[in-house]
Amino acid sequence: VTVGRAGEYEDVESVQGTTVLVERDGAGVGTLTFTDRLRRDAPGAVSALTAVTGTAPVLLTGDNRAAAAQVATDTGITDVRAGLLPEGKVDAVRDLQRGGRKVLFVGDGVNDAPALAAAHAGVAMGRGGADLALETADAVVVRDELTAIPAVVRLSRAARRLVVQNLVIAGTCIAVLVVWDLAGHLPLPLGVAGHEGSTVLVGLNGLRLLRESAWRSATAP
């Protein structure tokens, strides 16, 4: 008895699910169709990601076109690429990268692992994710909530802005102290205070990400 893909059979391509063919001694005896239930937070996560990134997400799936189209309709995704093997997902990721995009790939299955590795950043869903996907991903959503993904994107951008601000603060303070010392006479206590003061400012500025309001603003629709 063998169970395998049934995508090459036209009579099952219209089924909105993943259909596999069951054979016994080389003769087909039936098909099995598996349908995934859409996550409740999927439409909201797609909408939030579109708002954050300015680009609508792309659906890459190994399911047939009918199943993929139904998921796309329910979530508001317009760019759908169905019937992809693992290498097909990698090719799709690299096509987007060649187009100048920074690709964030979200997946949870074994077949998603190559694409997770190929993307600029890979995020795996922790609760139901395959071990290989969890090991390959750059980040894991432990709570298994899709809405956490746009929140993490917002927080990462806020962290990058803080890093730039801290570099400017530290660089400006050091530059002022150096110019002061070269052009005139900088008292040692004032130099130490200026240097350590800039360090304190950088630390306090970075601590802003730990505030509860920072997370609330990141999770806001």
PDB file of all heavy atoms in Angstrom, residues 6 17 19 22-23 25 38 52 62 66 72 74 81 89 92 112 114 120 124-125 127 130 142 171 180 189 199 202 207:
ATOM      1  N   ALA A   6      -1.358  13.405  -5.232  1.00  0.00           N
ATOM      2  CA  ALA A   6      -2.365  13.167  -6.259  1.00  0.00           C
ATOM      3  C   ALA A   6      -2.529  14.373  -7.157  1.00  0.00           C
ATOM      4  O   ALA A   6      -3.522  14.509  -7.858  1.00  0.00           O
ATOM      5  CB  ALA A   6      -3.701  12.811  -5.609  1.00  0.00           C
ATOM      6  N   GLY A  17      -8.325  21.278  -0.686  1.00  0.00           N
ATOM      7  CA  GLY A  17      -7.588  20.620   0.369  1.00  0.00           C
ATOM      8  C   GLY A  17      -6.375  19.934  -0.224  1.00  0.00           C
ATOM      9  O   GLY A  17      -6.135  19.979  -1.420  1.00  0.00           O
ATOM     10  N   THR A  19      -4.870  16.643  -1.274  1.00  0.00           N
ATOM     11  CA  THR A  19      -5.366  15.326  -1.626  1.00  0.00           C
ATOM     12  C   THR A  19      -4.207  14.382  -1.923  1.00  0.00           C
ATOM     13  O   THR A  19      -3.274  14.735  -2.643  1.00  0.00           O
ATOM     14  CB  THR A  19      -6.290  15.402  -2.849  1.00  0.00           C
ATOM     15  OG1 THR A  19      -7.380  16.288  -2.566  1.00  0.00           O
ATOM     16  CG2 THR A  19      -6.850  14.033  -3.206  1.00  0.00           C
ATOM     17  N   VAL A  22      -4.237   6.870  -2.654  1.00  0.00           N
ATOM     18  CA  VAL A  22      -3.933   5.605  -1.985  1.00  0.00           C
ATOM     19  C   VAL A  22      -3.963   4.487  -3.032  1.00  0.00           C
ATOM     20  O   VAL A  22      -4.956   4.324  -3.750  1.00  0.00           O
ATOM     21  CB  VAL A  22      -4.953   5.309  -0.868  1.00  0.00           C
ATOM     22  CG1 VAL A  22      -4.596   3.999  -0.164  1.00  0.00           C
ATOM     23  CG2 VAL A  22      -5.013   6.453   0.129  1.00  0.00           C
ATOM     24  N   GLU A  23      -2.852   3.765  -3.120  1.00  0.00           N
ATOM     25  CA  GLU A  23      -2.744   2.667  -4.081  1.00  0.00           C
ATOM     26  C   GLU A  23      -2.445   1.364  -3.364  1.00  0.00           C
ATOM     27  O   GLU A  23      -1.733   1.347  -2.351  1.00  0.00           O
ATOM     28  CB  GLU A  23      -1.639   2.952  -5.104  1.00  0.00           C
ATOM     29  CG  GLU A  23      -1.909   4.152  -6.000  1.00  0.00           C
ATOM     30  CD  GLU A  23      -0.788   4.378  -6.994  1.00  0.00           C
ATOM     31  OE1 GLU A  23       0.375   4.014  -6.675  1.00  0.00           O
ATOM     32  OE2 GLU A  23      -1.065   4.902  -8.080  1.00  0.00           O
ATOM     33  N   ASP A  25      -0.996  -2.392  -4.457  1.00  0.00           N
ATOM     34  CA  ASP A  25      -0.398  -3.188  -5.534  1.00  0.00           C
ATOM     35  C   ASP A  25      -0.395  -2.430  -6.854  1.00  0.00           C
ATOM     36  O   ASP A  25      -0.659  -3.003  -7.928  1.00  0.00           O
ATOM     37  CB  ASP A  25      -1.137  -4.522  -5.694  1.00  0.00           C
ATOM     38  CG  ASP A  25      -1.056  -5.387  -4.440  1.00  0.00           C
ATOM     39  OD1 ASP A  25      -0.033  -5.279  -3.734  1.00  0.00           O
ATOM     40  OD2 ASP A  25      -2.012  -6.129  -4.165  1.00  0.00           O
ATOM     41  N   LEU A  38      -8.188  27.496   8.970  1.00  0.00           N
ATOM     42  CA  LEU A  38      -7.508  28.789   8.990  1.00  0.00           C
ATOM     43  C   LEU A  38      -7.406  29.312  10.422  1.00  0.00           C
ATOM     44  O   LEU A  38      -8.366  29.240  11.191  1.00  0.00           O
ATOM     45  CB  LEU A  38      -8.272  29.795   8.123  1.00  0.00           C
ATOM     46  CG  LEU A  38      -7.570  31.116   7.821  1.00  0.00           C
ATOM     47  CD1 LEU A  38      -6.390  30.873   6.898  1.00  0.00           C
ATOM     48  CD2 LEU A  38      -8.545  32.082   7.171  1.00  0.00           C
ATOM     49  N   VAL A  52       2.525  47.390   7.953  1.00  0.00           N
ATOM     50  CA  VAL A  52       3.865  47.639   8.492  1.00  0.00           C
ATOM     51  C   VAL A  52       4.916  47.705   7.392  1.00  0.00           C
ATOM     52  O   VAL A  52       5.769  48.597   7.372  1.00  0.00           O
ATOM     53  CB  VAL A  52       4.242  46.554   9.519  1.00  0.00           C
ATOM     54  CG1 VAL A  52       5.706  46.669   9.909  1.00  0.00           C
ATOM     55  CG2 VAL A  52       3.371  46.673  10.758  1.00  0.00           C
ATOM     56  N   GLY A  62       2.504  24.151  -0.758  1.00  0.00           N
ATOM     57  CA  GLY A  62       2.539  22.918  -1.523  1.00  0.00           C
ATOM     58  C   GLY A  62       1.158  22.398  -1.841  1.00  0.00           C
ATOM     59  O   GLY A  62       1.010  21.421  -2.584  1.00  0.00           O
ATOM     60  N   ALA A  66      -6.727  25.105  -5.756  1.00  0.00           N
ATOM     61  CA  ALA A  66      -8.039  25.368  -5.173  1.00  0.00           C
ATOM     62  C   ALA A  66      -7.939  25.650  -3.679  1.00  0.00           C
ATOM     63  O   ALA A  66      -8.550  26.587  -3.161  1.00  0.00           O
ATOM     64  CB  ALA A  66      -8.965  24.182  -5.435  1.00  0.00           C
ATOM     65  N   ALA A  72      -6.212  32.167   0.378  1.00  0.00           N
ATOM     66  CA  ALA A  72      -5.910  33.528  -0.042  1.00  0.00           C
ATOM     67  C   ALA A  72      -7.138  34.421   0.047  1.00  0.00           C
ATOM     68  O   ALA A  72      -7.062  35.575   0.475  1.00  0.00           O
ATOM     69  CB  ALA A  72      -5.363  33.522  -1.464  1.00  0.00           C
ATOM     70  N   ASP A  74      -9.710  34.024   2.055  1.00  0.00           N
ATOM     71  CA  ASP A  74     -10.072  34.228   3.463  1.00  0.00           C
ATOM     72  C   ASP A  74      -9.123  35.180   4.186  1.00  0.00           C
ATOM     73  O   ASP A  74      -9.502  35.787   5.189  1.00  0.00           O
ATOM     74  CB  ASP A  74     -10.091  32.884   4.197  1.00  0.00           C
ATOM     75  CG  ASP A  74     -11.198  31.963   3.685  1.00  0.00           C
ATOM     76  OD1 ASP A  74     -12.153  32.479   3.078  1.00  0.00           O
ATOM     77  OD2 ASP A  74     -11.086  30.735   3.882  1.00  0.00           O
ATOM     78  N   ARG A  81       1.188  31.269  -4.834  1.00  0.00           N
ATOM     79  CA  ARG A  81       1.994  30.330  -5.610  1.00  0.00           C
ATOM     80  C   ARG A  81       1.810  28.958  -4.989  1.00  0.00           C
ATOM     81  O   ARG A  81       2.319  28.689  -3.898  1.00  0.00           O
ATOM     82  CB  ARG A  81       3.457  30.760  -5.625  1.00  0.00           C
ATOM     83  CG  ARG A  81       3.608  32.225  -6.059  1.00  0.00           C
ATOM     84  CD  ARG A  81       5.026  32.687  -6.125  1.00  0.00           C
ATOM     85  NE  ARG A  81       5.081  34.146  -6.288  1.00  0.00           N
ATOM     86  CZ  ARG A  81       6.189  34.837  -6.510  1.00  0.00           C
ATOM     87  NH1 ARG A  81       7.349  34.199  -6.610  1.00  0.00           N
ATOM     88  NH2 ARG A  81       6.150  36.159  -6.638  1.00  0.00           N
ATOM     89  N   LYS A  89       9.746  26.616  -3.179  1.00  0.00           N
ATOM     90  CA  LYS A  89       9.628  27.721  -2.233  1.00  0.00           C
ATOM     91  C   LYS A  89      10.929  28.511  -2.154  1.00  0.00           C
ATOM     92  O   LYS A  89      10.920  29.745  -2.067  1.00  0.00           O
ATOM     93  CB  LYS A  89       9.241  27.190  -0.852  1.00  0.00           C
ATOM     94  CG  LYS A  89       7.857  26.557  -0.796  1.00  0.00           C
ATOM     95  CD  LYS A  89       7.523  26.073   0.610  1.00  0.00           C
ATOM     96  CE  LYS A  89       6.132  25.446   0.645  1.00  0.00           C
ATOM     97  NZ  LYS A  89       5.755  24.978   1.997  1.00  0.00           N
ATOM     98  N   ALA A  92      11.164  30.705  -5.155  1.00  0.00           N
ATOM     99  CA  ALA A  92      10.287  31.867  -5.034  1.00  0.00           C
ATOM    100  C   ALA A  92      10.910  32.931  -4.123  1.00  0.00           C
ATOM    101  O   ALA A  92      10.834  34.134  -4.412  1.00  0.00           O
ATOM    102  CB  ALA A  92       8.925  31.440  -4.493  1.00  0.00           C
ATOM    103  N   ASP A 112       9.217  23.701   4.855  1.00  0.00           N
ATOM    104  CA  ASP A 112       9.508  25.139   4.915  1.00  0.00           C
ATOM    105  C   ASP A 112      10.954  25.424   5.299  1.00  0.00           C
ATOM    106  O   ASP A 112      11.424  26.557   5.150  1.00  0.00           O
ATOM    107  CB  ASP A 112       8.587  25.835   5.930  1.00  0.00           C
ATOM    108  CG  ASP A 112       7.133  25.781   5.517  1.00  0.00           C
ATOM    109  OD1 ASP A 112       6.862  25.841   4.300  1.00  0.00           O
ATOM    110  OD2 ASP A 112       6.257  25.671   6.403  1.00  0.00           O
ATOM    111  N   PRO A 114      14.012  24.721   4.046  1.00  0.00           N
ATOM    112  CA  PRO A 114      14.935  25.323   3.073  1.00  0.00           C
ATOM    113  C   PRO A 114      14.629  26.794   2.802  1.00  0.00           C
ATOM    114  O   PRO A 114      15.543  27.608   2.672  1.00  0.00           O
ATOM    115  CB  PRO A 114      14.731  24.467   1.815  1.00  0.00           C
ATOM    116  CG  PRO A 114      14.240  23.155   2.324  1.00  0.00           C
ATOM    117  CD  PRO A 114      13.373  23.508   3.495  1.00  0.00           C
ATOM    118  N   HIS A 120      16.022  36.286   4.102  1.00  0.00           N
ATOM    119  CA  HIS A 120      16.836  37.175   4.933  1.00  0.00           C
ATOM    120  C   HIS A 120      16.568  36.915   6.412  1.00  0.00           C
ATOM    121  O   HIS A 120      17.480  36.974   7.237  1.00  0.00           O
ATOM    122  CB  HIS A 120      16.507  38.638   4.601  1.00  0.00           C
ATOM    123  CG  HIS A 120      17.014  39.073   3.260  1.00  0.00           C
ATOM    124  ND1 HIS A 120      16.229  39.108   2.147  1.00  0.00           N
ATOM    125  CD2 HIS A 120      18.244  39.476   2.859  1.00  0.00           C
ATOM    126  CE1 HIS A 120      16.946  39.530   1.107  1.00  0.00           C
ATOM    127  NE2 HIS A 120      18.171  39.758   1.516  1.00  0.00           N
ATOM    128  N   ALA A 124       9.656  30.764  12.635  1.00  0.00           N
ATOM    129  CA  ALA A 124       8.919  29.506  12.757  1.00  0.00           C
ATOM    130  C   ALA A 124       7.869  29.635  13.846  1.00  0.00           C
ATOM    131  O   ALA A 124       8.074  30.330  14.845  1.00  0.00           O
ATOM    132  CB  ALA A 124       9.868  28.356  13.079  1.00  0.00           C
ATOM    133  N   MET A 125       6.749  28.957  13.644  1.00  0.00           N
ATOM    134  CA  MET A 125       5.691  28.932  14.645  1.00  0.00           C
ATOM    135  C   MET A 125       6.002  27.801  15.612  1.00  0.00           C
ATOM    136  O   MET A 125       6.098  26.626  15.223  1.00  0.00           O
ATOM    137  CB  MET A 125       4.329  28.719  13.983  1.00  0.00           C
ATOM    138  CG  MET A 125       4.040  29.728  12.865  1.00  0.00           C
ATOM    139  SD  MET A 125       4.209  31.454  13.398  1.00  0.00           S
ATOM    140  CE  MET A 125       2.885  31.587  14.587  1.00  0.00           C
ATOM    141  N   ARG A 127       4.598  26.265  18.519  1.00  0.00           N
ATOM    142  CA  ARG A 127       3.796  25.218  19.160  1.00  0.00           C
ATOM    143  C   ARG A 127       3.639  23.990  18.264  1.00  0.00           C
ATOM    144  O   ARG A 127       3.815  22.867  18.716  1.00  0.00           O
ATOM    145  CB  ARG A 127       2.423  25.770  19.526  1.00  0.00           C
ATOM    146  CG  ARG A 127       1.546  24.793  20.286  1.00  0.00           C
ATOM    147  CD  ARG A 127       0.273  25.458  20.749  1.00  0.00           C
ATOM    148  NE  ARG A 127       0.558  26.594  21.633  1.00  0.00           N
ATOM    149  CZ  ARG A 127      -0.364  27.439  22.068  1.00  0.00           C
ATOM    150  NH1 ARG A 127      -1.625  27.295  21.700  1.00  0.00           N
ATOM    151  NH2 ARG A 127      -0.028  28.433  22.861  1.00  0.00           N
ATOM    152  N   ALA A 130       7.600  21.906  13.076  1.00  0.00           N
ATOM    153  CA  ALA A 130       8.496  20.758  13.006  1.00  0.00           C
ATOM    154  C   ALA A 130       9.857  21.127  13.584  1.00  0.00           C
ATOM    155  O   ALA A 130      10.282  22.282  13.532  1.00  0.00           O
ATOM    156  CB  ALA A 130       8.641  20.306  11.553  1.00  0.00           C
ATOM    157  N   VAL A 142       6.972  31.563  20.140  1.00  0.00           N
ATOM    158  CA  VAL A 142       6.670  30.525  21.122  1.00  0.00           C
ATOM    159  C   VAL A 142       5.177  30.433  21.387  1.00  0.00           C
ATOM    160  O   VAL A 142       4.617  29.339  21.522  1.00  0.00           O
ATOM    161  CB  VAL A 142       7.442  30.792  22.429  1.00  0.00           C
ATOM    162  CG1 VAL A 142       7.110  29.739  23.475  1.00  0.00           C
ATOM    163  CG2 VAL A 142       8.943  30.805  22.155  1.00  0.00           C
ATOM    164  N   GLY A 171      28.672  59.333  19.475  1.00  0.00           N
ATOM    165  CA  GLY A 171      29.633  59.941  18.555  1.00  0.00           C
ATOM    166  C   GLY A 171      29.741  61.437  18.740  1.00  0.00           C
ATOM    167  O   GLY A 171      30.844  62.008  18.698  1.00  0.00           O
ATOM    168  N   TRP A 180      37.274  69.780  21.934  1.00  0.00           N
ATOM    169  CA  TRP A 180      37.525  70.654  23.086  1.00  0.00           C
ATOM    170  C   TRP A 180      38.951  70.444  23.591  1.00  0.00           C
ATOM    171  O   TRP A 180      39.678  71.411  23.879  1.00  0.00           O
ATOM    172  CB  TRP A 180      36.511  70.342  24.169  1.00  0.00           C
ATOM    173  CG  TRP A 180      36.530  71.303  25.335  1.00  0.00           C
ATOM    174  CD1 TRP A 180      37.467  72.256  25.619  1.00  0.00           C
ATOM    175  CD2 TRP A 180      35.561  71.393  26.380  1.00  0.00           C
ATOM    176  NE1 TRP A 180      37.168  72.919  26.768  1.00  0.00           N
ATOM    177  CE2 TRP A 180      35.983  72.417  27.262  1.00  0.00           C
ATOM    178  CE3 TRP A 180      34.393  70.715  26.674  1.00  0.00           C
ATOM    179  CZ2 TRP A 180      35.262  72.758  28.405  1.00  0.00           C
ATOM    180  CZ3 TRP A 180      33.674  71.064  27.802  1.00  0.00           C
ATOM    181  CH2 TRP A 180      34.104  72.068  28.654  1.00  0.00           C
ATOM    182  N   PRO A 189      38.261  65.828  35.033  1.00  0.00           N
ATOM    183  CA  PRO A 189      36.953  65.448  35.599  1.00  0.00           C
ATOM    184  C   PRO A 189      35.804  65.700  34.634  1.00  0.00           C
ATOM    185  O   PRO A 189      34.862  64.902  34.547  1.00  0.00           O
ATOM    186  CB  PRO A 189      36.845  66.332  36.851  1.00  0.00           C
ATOM    187  CG  PRO A 189      38.256  66.650  37.202  1.00  0.00           C
ATOM    188  CD  PRO A 189      38.977  66.780  35.898  1.00  0.00           C
ATOM    189  N   THR A 199      27.448  57.586  28.051  1.00  0.00           N
ATOM    190  CA  THR A 199      27.136  56.164  28.241  1.00  0.00           C
ATOM    191  C   THR A 199      25.812  55.981  28.962  1.00  0.00           C
ATOM    192  O   THR A 199      25.004  55.113  28.620  1.00  0.00           O
ATOM    193  CB  THR A 199      28.254  55.472  29.031  1.00  0.00           C
ATOM    194  OG1 THR A 199      29.498  55.653  28.349  1.00  0.00           O
ATOM    195  CG2 THR A 199      27.977  53.989  29.198  1.00  0.00           C
ATOM    196  N   VAL A 202      22.966  56.774  26.557  1.00  0.00           N
ATOM    197  CA  VAL A 202      22.759  55.668  25.615  1.00  0.00           C
ATOM    198  C   VAL A 202      21.995  54.526  26.294  1.00  0.00           C
ATOM    199  O   VAL A 202      21.069  53.945  25.717  1.00  0.00           O
ATOM    200  CB  VAL A 202      24.115  55.170  25.074  1.00  0.00           C
ATOM    201  CG1 VAL A 202      23.971  53.811  24.394  1.00  0.00           C
ATOM    202  CG2 VAL A 202      24.698  56.183  24.101  1.00  0.00           C
ATOM    203  N   LEU A 207      16.766  51.587  27.120  1.00  0.00           N
ATOM    204  CA  LEU A 207      15.786  50.999  28.038  1.00  0.00           C
ATOM    205  C   LEU A 207      14.352  51.352  27.681  1.00  0.00           C
ATOM    206  O   LEU A 207      13.416  50.743  28.210  1.00  0.00           O
ATOM    207  CB  LEU A 207      16.090  51.453  29.474  1.00  0.00           C
ATOM    208  CG  LEU A 207      17.331  50.851  30.127  1.00  0.00           C
ATOM    209  CD1 LEU A 207      17.578  51.497  31.484  1.00  0.00           C
ATOM    210  CD2 LEU A 207      17.175  49.344  30.285  1.00  0.00           C
TER     211      LEU A 207
END
